[in-house]
Amino acid sequence: MLIDAVAVRVFTTTARTAVDEAGHRHPAPEHEVTAALLEITDQDGNAGYCPVQPDHLREPVLAGHIRPTVVGRDPWQRERLWQALSRRQRGAHGGLTDRALGYVDQALWDLLGRRVGLPVWKLLGGARDRVPAYASTMCGDEIPGGLSCPEDYAAFAEQLAKRGYRGIKLHTWMPPVPFAPDVRLDIRTCAAVREAVGPDIALMLDANHWYRRTEALELGRALEKLDFAWYEEPMDEASISSYRWLADQLAVPVIGPETAAGKHFARAEWISAGACDILRAGVDDCGGIGATLKAVHLAEAFNIDCEIHGNGSGNLAVLGATESGRWYERGLLHPHVDFDEPPPHRHTIVDTMDADGIVTMPSAPGLGDDWNFDYISEHTVDVW
Ligand code: LLH
Ligand code: MG
């Protein structure tokens, strides 16, 4: 059965978080938002889905690049389609992003899994059906009793450890929070959290992404003393030589790149430059499930871990398909937001976690998202 149609369905739903002007997510009063699903349908009416940011996949991108590449093609030739899209990127002059490739790739895997009645993580290798989750906090804020000071982080970390998490990653303060960034405050916060949870919980830090080298080094040296498991994105990732300079001087493992453009090619450059001790890739940043798997296998061949960025079914599928990657990133979490409560457009969340901090791979065919299609169709405001 060939691919028949590609559409983006935009719908309204509710959210209890919102992003600030720099794109960092924080708690918010419940409010209406627009969300969207990419739908790729075959001639038999089977469909595959991927949640997308509507602004990242506008109609001109579908009409100009995606439909001409995939409609009328065999969805089983997923790698061929991905390569064709990847080669279109050069002439698209920025109009066809790695993120768009990633959305299409995930929807195609979902379609294939649904068609054969198997979860994608099994189709891709089925290396494990359970993965430990680390709690990934939201960035720091000014909300009393939220994440406004070292004591808030320490209290939240204790709660997270009681909930079952065996690993916790802090995102500390970043502009536009007025007192950020502040290396000394980051260090005090990491120390308060280590003291609160003791030596047996793995701790990681994802700090302000725009420190200078000397600031990043000062912070990294403090993390070494606090026995942190990794140190993430303290500087702009466009500068590979800055990360090599940092990794050369620190014993705490430096992880990256998370958001750098260039898919698995960029990850190969980071490894060969010695800029990271742990590789990082996620399906939305790296161009989809296929390209993220290439990054994971690359890391495996160098005997280094590849830790997966971000939550969601596509990232879970990569973790279930491979042995590399010790953790699933569960978040972003905040003391005032219930992560386990599904939004109205989902019946259940895909990443429920048990009391030992373990997430079990979904058993449903495809990526395993439990969409509430009735809600989505009742709240549809646009389709392109
Ligand atoms: O800056 C942020 O808001 C976070 O770093 C965010 O991008 C998050 O996705 C992340 O980095 N997780 O690891
Ligand atoms: Mg990060």
Side-chain angles (χ1 to χ4, degrees):
M1 277 307 124
L2 304 180
I3 296 169
D4 189 45
V6 179
V8 168
R9 175 180 297 275
V10 184
F11 56 94
T12 57
T13 184
T14 57
R16 285 162 288 125
T17 63
V19 292
D20 64 24
E21 69 191 42
H24 309 303
R25 195 159 285 282
H26 301 286
E30 188 164 283
H31 61 292
E32 188 177 276
V33 291
T34 50
L37 270 188
L38 170 66
E39 305 174 342
I40 300 186
T41 315
D42 71 15
Q43 291 165 330
D44 260 358
N46 301 298
Y49 304 91
C50 177
V52 302
Q53 291 287 336
D55 284 345
H56 293 171
L57 212 50
R58 310 296 308 185
E59 166 61 20
V61 181
L62 294 191
H65 300 292
I66 294 172
R67 288 194 196 103
T69 309
V70 308
V71 171
R73 300 289 176 156
D74 178 354
W76 278 110
Q77 294 182 314
R78 193 210 42 75
E79 177 68 10
R80 180 173 171 171
L81 300 179
W82 188 90
Q83 293 290 355
L85 280 175
S86 176
R87 284 181 190 150
R88 280 185 98 105
Q89 284 185 293
R90 185 175 179 281
H93 303 298
L96 181 60
T97 59
D98 292 351
R99 200 160 270 262
L101 263 61
Y103 292 150
V104 172
D105 189 60
Q106 289 176 75
L108 283 176
W109 276 116
D110 192 43
L111 169 63
L112 296 174
R114 287 169 186 267
R115 251 169 69 163
V116 298
L118 282 173
V120 171
W121 63 272
K122 269 195 184 170
L123 278 174
L124 288 170
R128 56 180 152 180
D129 56 9
R130 294 151 55 83
V131 64
Y134 69 83
S136 186
T137 75
M138 289 187 195
C139 293
D141 51 45
E142 298 178 276
I143 304 168
L147 295 173
S148 69
C149 58
E151 295 72 27
D152 281 351
Y153 276 86
F156 190 38
E158 279 184 85
Q159 273 179 39
L160 294 168
K162 279 199 193 107
R163 168 72 178 85
Y165 289 103
R166 310 314 295 159
I168 300 171
K169 188 171 85 185
L170 316 180
H171 286 96
T172 44
W173 297 270
M174 308 188 199
V177 173
F179 52 84
D182 183 335
V183 165
R184 299 288 163 91
L185 182 60
D186 285 351
I187 294 173
R188 286 207 303 280
T189 304
C190 292
V193 169
R194 173 55 82 207
E195 191 175 338
V197 299
D200 296 333
I201 300 284
L203 293 179
M204 305 80 151
L205 175 66
D206 196 341
N208 173 47
H209 310 313
W210 298 279
Y211 279 130
R212 292 176 197 276
R213 288 187 183 193
T214 48
E215 294 168 318
L217 184 60
E218 181 184 354
L219 182 47
R221 289 203 165 126
L223 298 185
E224 283 173 356
K225 294 196 189 108
L226 295 166
D227 191 26
F228 267 52
W230 80 58
Y231 184 24
E232 184 171 324
E233 207 181 341
M235 301 177 288
D236 195 313
E237 289 183 338
S239 176
I240 297 183
S241 57
S242 294
Y243 277 89
R244 181 177 50 212
W245 178 89
L246 185 68
D248 277 351
Q249 298 183 74
L250 290 177
V252 62
V254 171
I255 187 172
E258 180 173 297
T259 55
K263 306 174 287 250
H264 53 296
F265 301 101
R267 271 95 194 150
E269 294 300 330
W270 273 61
I271 294 179
S272 69
C276 58
D277 305 291
I278 302 174
L279 194 66
R280 191 143 178 83
V283 295
D284 288 332
D285 310 295
C286 192
I289 290 173
T292 304
L293 278 174
K294 289 175 188 178
V296 171
H297 294 153
L298 173 75
E300 197 174 280
F302 279 94
N303 281 318
I304 66 176
D305 286 322
C306 180
E307 292 297 340
I308 300 301
H309 169 228
N311 63 350
S313 59
N315 287 315
L316 261 186
V318 170
L319 283 163
T322 60
E323 284 183 351
S324 174
R326 296 178 189 225
W327 301 96
Y328 172 68
E329 180 168 13
R330 199 161 187 269
L332 300 170
L333 308 182
H334 189 279
H336 297 172
V337 178
D338 181 0
F339 183 81
D340 290 279
E341 190 187 320
H345 58 278
R346 291 178 185 267
H347 292 297
T348 56
I349 58 172
V350 75
D351 48 6
T352 42
M353 188 187 84
D354 69 16
D356 296 319
I358 302 293
V359 171
T360 300
M361 293 297 151
S363 54
L367 289 172
D369 290 296
D370 189 6
W371 301 114
N372 184 339
F373 288 115
D374 290 339
Y375 180 94
I376 290 171
S377 86
E378 280 159 25
H379 292 81
T380 295
V381 291
D382 206 354
V383 179
W384 59 75

